[in-house]
Amino acid sequence: MARWCYRHRLVVLLLWVGALFGLGFSASTAGTNYANVFSLPDTDSKSAYDLMEKAFPNTSGDTDTVVWKVDEGSVRDQAVRDRIRPVLDDIAKMPGVGAVTSPYDARGAGQVSKDGTIAYAQVTFVKRANEVPKELVQDVLDTAQGADRAGLQVELGGQAIQRVQEPPQGLSEGVGIVAAAVVLFLAFGSFFAMTLPIAIAVFGVGTGLFATQLLSHTTDVPDIAPLLASLIGLGVGIDYALFIVTRHRKGIQRGLDPEEAAVTALNTSGRAVLFAGGTVCIALAGMLVTRLRFLDGVVIGTSLTVVLSVMAATTLLPALLGFLGPRVLSRRQRRRLAAQGPESEGASGLAARWSTAVEKRPRRIAALALVFMAVLAVPVLSLRLGATDQGNDDASTTTRKAYDLLAEGFGPGFNGPLQVVTEGGETSALVKGLQDTPGVAQVAALPPARGVTVIQVVPTTSPQSVETDRLIDRLRDDVIPAAGVEAHVGGVTAVSKDFSTVTGDRLPLFIATIIGLGFLLLLVAFRSLVVPLTAALMNLIAAASSFGVLVAIFQWGWGLELLGLGKEGPINAFLPVIMLSLLFGLSMDYQVFLVSRMHEEWVHTRDNARAVRVGLAETSRVINSAALIMVCVFMAFVLSGDSGAAMAGVGLAAAVALDAFILRTALVPAAMHLLGNANWWLPGWLEKRLPHLAVEPKEEALPSTAAGAADTRAGAGADGGPASAVHGYVRTTEGDPVEGASVTLLSAGGRQLDRVVSLADGSYIVSVPAPGTYLLAAAAPSYGSRARHVVVGEGPLVYDVELAEGEVDAVN
């Protein structure tokens, strides 16, 4: 497939461009129909909601609030009335505004604080918040704040008002892409190579978001789904393309022509990308076991975007590589390749030195990494799930100021009133019981409608406080049963509490599901019990540490002002499920890329220390670059204006940084050095029953033999046609023979063709099926390895191999 896409690159590019613009046109024509469906079956707040919907079926429009405060006098003063009343009248006349309830009318008499300094008016739109045109909301905002003057403060709150305060759509994505571009340019040193991962991410995320927007017309998709989909899509799209482009560039630098380099890259790193993308989608699908309808649309949007990003990386990317050819390298790299020939296969520099250091001191490095992660995980012990509201907005926003004014004038609980809903029966005993309950500031029973009575209960504490949660439990467990009626406690605060409880109860099942699925995938891929067990343990460590960071920042308030993220509060109840899905998926990505290279080396050499050393040396740089890009993309979502997305962005940025820079670079390789050959142990009975799912290209494993054994096979090709051989000596840099060196011949696509062991004099011979270009790799204990491309003609090729002591080189 990679070769076809490379050769038919114009067709592939036009298909992707057509898909992007076609979906974009369809989505813009259809518009959006996002819906936040917090369906919590078998909960008390859901029963209350159903009764209120029966009593008030036509109150679906969003209700926002205009709040004003005077520094001196009263809001009832004639001068204040004359300034506020015309503004409210103008707002009431705007098309799309259903009603305005003023404190200067008889029915709004209770909308003035006891001291007379604060009042509010309710503006009810005819549509829900996400459907109200932003132009209308901006007109309401501008008109109301036009009354502001010295001594009179006017602020507005509500969901519709909050939408117009958000930064321009796409700002966080744009900042993330720019930051990723800088990292890519520093990593590649080439403008053309830098643009490839960005292009793949744009196509993957673009088609994914447009498709999600279209799906919102057929199923319930919450409005946070596209934001989370773009967050994860940008990260994985850039990362997947980065892995493939890095492998492609190495192939060209080592002498392959661009087409063969692209095919080899897709046949190796491309397989890992497919596997990694699958693990991300499986982790995301794990959210379905929670049976929270709100998350179904998130699963659809994020999974679809990941799938399209993987498709772009495996089809569009080879086509773009075909357009660039050797220009995927920088000019300096192309000049060096022309002047000095292909580069060696070895990893060098800081990555190789760090890999050697981990091999020498695995216990010390593992202990330091564990202590560091454990310290960061300590705050998770005080994790409290809940819901953020406009009280968590930045202090400079009008929604936060309106929230604070209402709390000042009417009490902290005014921003999150409870609704006690009952159908039929006498409610006087219930009202009396509610009034006598500690923690209740105000009780007001509304006139019955359709046989349903709604009693408004204002707590003395804020919606996010623990005391409010305890009040809800007290009402349900003691007050309502004592009144002898059947009633239910609802309202936004009660819904948030029930959502947090349900999420917390189902979280263990969710974690067990995604860990179990990840374990099975790695078990099948790497034919090992220890590798997936290690991965599962590391994922739990990463989750605990990242949530510790999240609690310290958002719940304890450490650094919130520095990040401009408003006020501390509980962690959003839906965040653990979403964040753990993304975290486990991304952790699997890094585990697959790291261990697949180790497994490839293990298959070739059966030397665990060498496999771990070479795997870490070759992949740590690209994993760290990919993680740095992820951190930039995720942190950019702090600018989204959505507290949930900002919280997810900071949490995921911390998780990815800890996972890549601490776990995969230090703790995982150190643990694998300590475990030795046990890393690759699998019982024989299980090996026979497991299906084969190889992350690396399939190899025809041949047993190690003496050099003379290969000589008997050199006379004929695999198909009976002409064949040849490569033979020579394996020596040290001083010219001494190396006995027992493993010499492997691989095809240009990475398939093992023959493998032998050198004799006492260092001689070897491997069979070649037909003339062509091959990769000859030699490795020996204590000497490292050496791999070179060899061109074999019609006759045997004489090729001597020189090994240097302690050299880290790739067998690829």
Side-chain angles (χ1 to χ4, degrees):
M1 183 179 70
R3 195 181 300 277
W4 188 92
C5 292
Y6 188 96
R7 292 180 176 178
H8 300 84
R9 43 191 173 268
L10 183 59
V11 174
V12 175
L13 178 60
L14 291 176
L15 287 173
W16 272 99
V17 171
L20 180 63
F21 281 95
L23 286 171
F25 177 77
S26 301
S28 61
T29 302
T32 62
N33 192 27
Y34 297 120
N36 296 318
V37 181
F38 289 93
S39 179
L40 299 172
D42 303 322
T43 60
D44 197 50
S45 58
K46 178 64 165 59
S47 300
Y49 176 83
D50 291 341
L51 286 176
M52 290 183 68
E53 194 173 38
K54 173 185 176 182
F56 309 104
N58 300 317
T59 57
S60 59
D62 183 57
T63 299
D64 289 53
T65 309
V66 180
V67 190
W68 58 96
K69 176 186 179 182
V70 294
D71 293 342
E72 295 179 356
S74 169
V75 293
R76 297 187 177 92
D77 293 344
Q78 192 62 42
V80 179
R81 288 172 178 258
D82 292 343
R83 191 162 185 87
I84 295 294
R85 260 184 169 165
V87 169
L88 298 180
D89 291 341
D90 290 342
I91 293 174
K93 295 174 184 176
M94 293 181 181
V97 174
V100 174
T101 305
S102 169
Y104 302 129
D105 298 334
R107 57 178 180 168
Q111 295 172 199
V112 179
S113 64
K114 291 181 179 179
D115 63 3
T117 60
I118 298 174
Y120 70 91
Q122 290 183 323
V123 179
T124 302
F125 296 98
V126 298
K127 296 182 178 180
R128 294 179 298 179
N130 62 314
E131 298 174 339
V132 179
K134 284 192 174 183
E135 296 78 10
L136 170 60
V137 181
Q138 189 64 52
D139 287 344
V140 171
L141 181 63
D142 294 340
T143 303
Q145 291 193 328
D148 195 291
R149 61 175 172 81
L152 176 63
Q153 179 185 1
V154 181
E155 307 293 347
L156 291 90
Q159 293 184 20
I161 300 297
Q162 191 171 34
R163 288 181 67 228
V164 300
Q165 286 190 136
E166 297 171 353
Q169 193 171 10
L171 174 63
S172 53
E173 291 90 338
V175 172
I177 288 175
V178 170
V182 173
V183 176
L184 288 169
F185 184 77
L186 294 175
F188 288 147
S190 166
F191 174 79
F192 290 114
M194 175 201 74
T195 59
L196 290 174
I198 301 296
I200 296 305
V202 168
F203 274 93
V205 172
T207 53
L209 292 182
F210 290 142
T212 302
Q213 185 173 327
L214 289 173
L215 285 174
S216 70
H217 293 274
T218 60
T219 187
D220 292 326
V221 178
D223 53 12
I224 197 175
L227 198 59
L228 292 171
S230 60
L231 185 147
I232 186 65
L234 280 177
V236 301
I238 292 174
D239 273 13
Y240 292 167
L242 170 65
F243 288 121
I244 295 174
V245 172
T246 299
R247 193 73 175 240
H248 174 72
R249 282 162 50 90
K250 284 183 179 179
I252 294 178
Q253 290 173 310
R254 293 169 183 175
L256 291 178
D257 68 84
E259 181 177 339
E260 288 302 321
V263 171
T264 302
L266 267 295
N267 198 34
T268 51
S269 294
R271 287 172 178 261
V273 163
L274 287 171
F275 188 84
T279 61
V280 173
C281 290
I282 289 173
L284 292 171
M287 286 191 276
L288 299 177
V289 303
T290 62
R291 303 193 308 278
L292 299 173
R293 284 192 59 200
F294 168 74
L295 297 175
D296 294 352
V298 174
V299 173
I300 293 171
T302 51
S303 299
L304 184 60
T305 305
V306 170
V307 168
L308 289 168
S309 296
V310 170
M311 290 177 60
T314 52
T315 58
L316 178 60
L317 183 55
L320 297 178
L321 292 174
F323 283 110
L324 290 183
R327 287 177 297 171
V328 73
L329 301 179
S330 65
R331 291 182 180 178
R332 184 174 62 180
Q333 290 170 327
R334 296 200 298 270
R335 286 195 298 267
R336 185 166 62 240
L337 181 63
Q340 301 176 10
E343 295 182 358
S344 65
E345 302 276 345
S348 59
L350 181 61
R353 291 194 295 272
W354 172 251
S355 180
T356 304
V358 174
E359 183 182 14
K360 291 180 179 178
R361 291 177 289 275
R363 285 183 178 82
R364 183 183 304 175
I365 290 174
L368 288 174
L370 271 176
V371 169
F372 181 77
M373 299 294 283
V375 169
L376 292 180
V378 169
V380 81
L381 298 175
S382 62
L383 172 68
R384 188 167 73 88
L385 299 180
T388 57
D389 55 27
Q390 293 177 4
N392 300 107
D393 290 353
D394 186 82
S396 63
T397 60
T398 187
T399 50
R400 169 67 182 279
K401 292 175 181 177
Y403 185 98
D404 291 343
L405 286 178
L406 289 173
E408 178 187 345
F410 302 92
F414 186 81
N415 286 294
L418 306 175
Q419 280 90 41
V420 178
V421 188
T422 181
E423 185 173 18
E426 177 60 40
T427 60
S428 57
L430 178 59
V431 172
K432 181 67 169 60
L434 293 172
Q435 291 172 338
D436 295 339
T437 302
V440 173
Q442 181 181 344
V443 177
L446 303 181
R450 300 174 189 262
V452 176
T453 301
V454 178
I455 305 170
Q456 190 98 332
V457 177
V458 177
T460 58
T461 51
S462 70
Q464 297 178 356
S465 73
V466 177
E467 288 75 13
T468 303
D469 286 350
R470 292 172 182 163
L471 173 62
I472 294 173
D473 290 334
R474 194 180 306 121
L475 296 181
R476 289 171 173 171
D477 299 338
D478 302 328
V479 178
I480 293 175
V485 297
E486 183 180 350
H488 307 280
V489 181
V492 174
T493 306
V495 170
S496 299
K497 181 185 185 304
D498 289 346
F499 189 76
S500 302
T501 303
V502 171
T503 303
D505 291 343
R506 297 175 184 177
L507 203 56
L509 172 63
F510 165 70
I511 293 175
T513 300
I514 58 178
I515 287 182
L517 290 174
F519 175 87
L520 292 176
L521 278 173
L522 292 180
L523 173 66
V524 173
F526 297 121
R527 327 298 294 178
S528 163
L529 280 175
V530 177
V531 166
L533 280 174
T534 304
L537 180 61
M538 297 302 167
N539 286 344
L540 289 174
I541 293 173
S545 299
S546 58
F547 270 98
V549 173
L550 205 62
V551 169
I553 294 175
F554 287 93
Q555 193 172 311
W556 293 358
W558 293 3
L560 270 182
E561 291 185 4
L562 184 64
L563 295 172
L565 293 177
K567 184 182 176 184
E568 69 273 9
I571 304 301
N572 272 332
F574 66 85
L575 188 61
V577 177
I578 293 176
M579 186 172 156
L580 284 173
S581 292
L582 300 181
L583 170 59
F584 278 95
L586 297 175
S587 296
M588 281 292 204
D589 282 1
Y590 295 141
Q591 184 77 0
V592 167
F593 286 115
L594 175 66
V595 178
S596 63
R597 186 64 191 91
M598 295 177 179
H599 185 250
E600 186 180 351
E601 197 70 23
W602 166 256
V603 170
H604 290 150
T605 65
R606 298 291 165 177
D607 183 344
N608 178 74
R610 171 185 163 73
V612 176
R613 184 180 70 246
V614 171
L616 177 60
E618 287 210 348
T619 60
S620 62
R621 186 170 182 267
V622 69
I623 286 177
N624 290 337
S625 297
L628 186 57
I629 290 170
M630 285 273 200
V631 170
C632 292
V633 170
F634 291 156
M635 284 300 295
F637 278 78
V638 171
L639 307 174
S640 66
D642 184 282
S643 60
M647 201 178 286
V650 172
L652 285 171
V656 168
L658 294 172
D659 191 278
F661 301 137
I662 305 297
L663 293 185
R664 311 301 158 184
T665 305
L667 188 53
V668 169
M672 293 184 74
H673 276 301
L674 293 173
L675 291 169
N677 290 353
N679 286 308
W680 316 104
W681 176 76
L682 185 69
W685 62 268
L686 185 57
E687 167 68 34
K688 294 177 183 178
R689 288 168 174 77
L690 284 179
H692 285 270
L693 177 64
V695 180
E696 307 94 12
K698 186 179 179 182
E699 298 176 347
E700 296 176 4
L702 299 176
S704 300
T705 64
D711 191 35
T712 63
R713 300 193 300 270
D719 57 357
S724 186
V726 178
H727 63 92
Y729 293 90
V730 182
R731 302 186 185 279
T732 66
T733 53
E734 290 79 21
D736 298 326
V738 178
E739 180 183 3
S742 174
V743 182
T744 308
L745 185 75
L746 300 100
S747 68
R751 185 167 59 91
Q752 181 176 310
L753 301 174
D754 198 4
R755 184 179 175 198
V756 298
V757 174
S758 62
L759 299 179
D761 62 351
S763 63
Y764 75 93
I765 179 171
V766 291
S767 62
V768 179
T773 301
Y774 299 90
L775 187 69
L776 185 73
S782 304
Y783 287 98
S785 69
R786 182 63 61 88
R788 294 288 184 273
H789 286 97
V790 294
V791 179
V792 183
E794 296 296 334
L797 173 68
V798 178
Y799 190 86
D800 292 339
V801 180
E802 188 177 90
L803 295 180
E805 188 171 358
E807 182 179 27
V808 177
D809 206 352
V811 176
N812 185 357

